[in-house]
Amino acid sequence: MIKIDKKTKLTREILAYILLTIGSILFAVGDVMFVNPYLMAPGGTYGLSNVLNTVWPWKISLYAICMDVPLLIIGTWILGPKFGIKTIVSTILIFAATFVLESVWGYDPVIHDGAISQIEGVGMVQIPHDGGWFKPDYFLNTVLAGLIYGVAIGLIFRSGATSGGSDIISMIIHKYTKVSLGTLVMIVDGIITLSTLIAFGDIRLPIYSILIIFIEGKVINLVIDGMKSYRTMFIITDNPEPIRNYVINDLKRGGTCITGSGLYKGNERKMVYVTLNRSDMIKLRSVLHVIDPGAFVNIMESSEILGQGFRALPEE
């Protein structure tokens, strides 16, 4: 296993938890101050909690934690210990930040066209549990909500945590079906999004909720350096053994070591070919300067990975 300086490791862990904390707080801000007042539900347990919070008044955070904790337990039982300590910390931090924010701020919107009034008017929306009314600016609010959500979840991913929540349902179904995980996530989030139409009867709500999800996804990619789900790494090195050990022992992944020769001098070189998910790619990239500072690395986006350890090869 690769040994990293204790001070460097500690610094990385501190930075990871700082990112995790900021991301969790931003997520709560986006949900309580932008999404909930507009009666939207852009997927996830907190999206469903927004609907429940309006239909049956109870704190968003309490609804969400009552779903997140059982999902984490069931997910660990069925899928194994995939959810690390950072995911658990993230769940707790988002719950705490949301609870404090909705207790202190309430559910007043930040974006509105005119002052909040106690008198209902044409085209006005009632603030959940507040009794006040406001003129909504759906488009601007949706854009800002998507940006905040995207930055928040991007920072949480960068910290090494996962989103957990309703994604666990998709992961469990994926284990027992041939449906891709991405498709299942879309289905689960789509059902949650459509719940706003059933609960409130306004077709704009699921449409704007879907727009939030779209913006959020784009921003997440920007936050994590434009990475897709998987990246293929070509690492040309004179010292492949430490890289091999790190990939096998630390990342628990496989790869291929290819022997070639340089065009300029014709010297024999080794190339490590490995395809990793987003999180593992970040880990390997961050330690390469310790393993081999002189390595040449080419990282490519991989839109579809088939074979052992990834999606099964199609039968037809």
Side-chain angles (χ1 to χ4, degrees), residues 19-298:
L19 294 177
L20 183 58
T21 302
I22 294 173
S24 299
I25 294 172
L26 279 177
F27 185 93
V29 168
D31 190 68
V32 175
M33 302 173 73
F34 292 87
V35 172
N36 181 265
Y38 277 72
L39 308 180
M40 291 188 284
T45 53
Y46 277 82
L48 183 57
S49 297
N50 286 327
V51 177
L52 296 174
N53 164 263
T54 305
V55 177
W56 296 295
W58 200 32
K59 288 187 181 298
I60 302 168
S61 54
L62 297 179
Y63 273 122
I65 200 68
C66 286
M67 289 184 275
D68 283 340
V69 171
L71 283 173
L72 280 172
I73 295 173
I74 294 170
T76 302
W77 175 47
I78 295 177
L79 302 172
K82 285 189 174 184
F83 312 106
I85 185 65
K86 288 191 179 77
T87 297
I88 297 173
V89 171
S90 174
T91 300
I92 296 171
L93 285 176
I94 292 175
F95 161 73
T98 304
F99 182 88
V100 170
L101 195 58
E102 62 187 335
S103 299
V104 175
W105 175 268
Y107 304 103
D108 290 353
V110 174
I111 302 298
H112 53 79
D113 185 12
I116 295 174
S117 172
Q118 297 301 313
I119 303 174
E120 180 182 2
V122 178
M124 299 181 75
V125 174
Q126 188 171 24
I127 301 171
H129 323 314
D130 183 80
W133 297 81
F134 70 99
K135 288 185 178 181
D137 186 340
Y138 281 103
F139 184 75
L140 178 59
N141 184 79
T142 298
V143 171
L144 288 177
L147 290 173
I148 294 171
Y149 264 9
V151 172
I153 297 174
L155 291 176
I156 290 172
F157 284 166
R158 283 290 298 270
S159 74
T162 59
S163 56
S166 64
D167 288 352
I168 297 174
I169 299 173
S170 303
M171 294 167 71
I172 293 173
I173 298 174
H174 173 68
K175 181 178 180 179
Y176 298 104
T177 68
K178 294 183 179 180
V179 182
S180 71
L181 185 58
T183 300
L184 288 170
V185 169
M186 290 175 62
I187 292 172
V188 173
D189 282 347
I191 292 172
I192 294 172
T193 297
L194 287 174
S195 68
T196 57
L197 177 60
I198 298 171
F200 309 121
D202 189 340
I203 188 63
R204 293 176 300 178
L205 300 179
I207 293 174
Y208 279 116
S209 296
I210 291 171
L211 184 55
I212 288 177
I213 295 173
F214 177 79
I215 296 172
E216 170 193 327
K218 295 297 182 181
V219 175
I220 288 173
N221 287 336
L222 290 176
V223 172
I224 55 177
D225 204 20
M227 289 173 289
K228 292 187 176 181
S229 296
Y230 292 101
R231 286 292 178 97
T232 296
M233 301 182 70
F234 297 91
I235 307 169
I236 299 175
T237 176
D238 292 320
N239 190 22
E241 196 60 27
I243 300 174
R244 173 186 178 276
N245 291 336
Y246 184 81
V247 171
I248 293 174
N249 298 322
D250 291 70
L251 300 182
K252 309 297 182 185
R253 302 299 304 184
T256 302
C257 189
I258 303 170
T259 301
S261 58
L263 287 178
Y264 185 64
K265 294 184 177 180
N267 295 336
E268 183 178 289
R269 303 291 300 275
K270 297 290 185 180
M271 182 175 71
V272 177
Y273 165 81
V274 59
T275 298
L276 303 168
N277 62 33
R278 183 168 51 198
S279 176
D280 288 342
M281 189 279 287
I282 292 173
K283 293 175 183 176
L284 178 55
R285 186 180 65 179
S286 67
V287 301
L288 272 177
H289 74 282
V290 177
I291 299 173
D292 185 3
F296 179 86
V297 184
N298 183 19

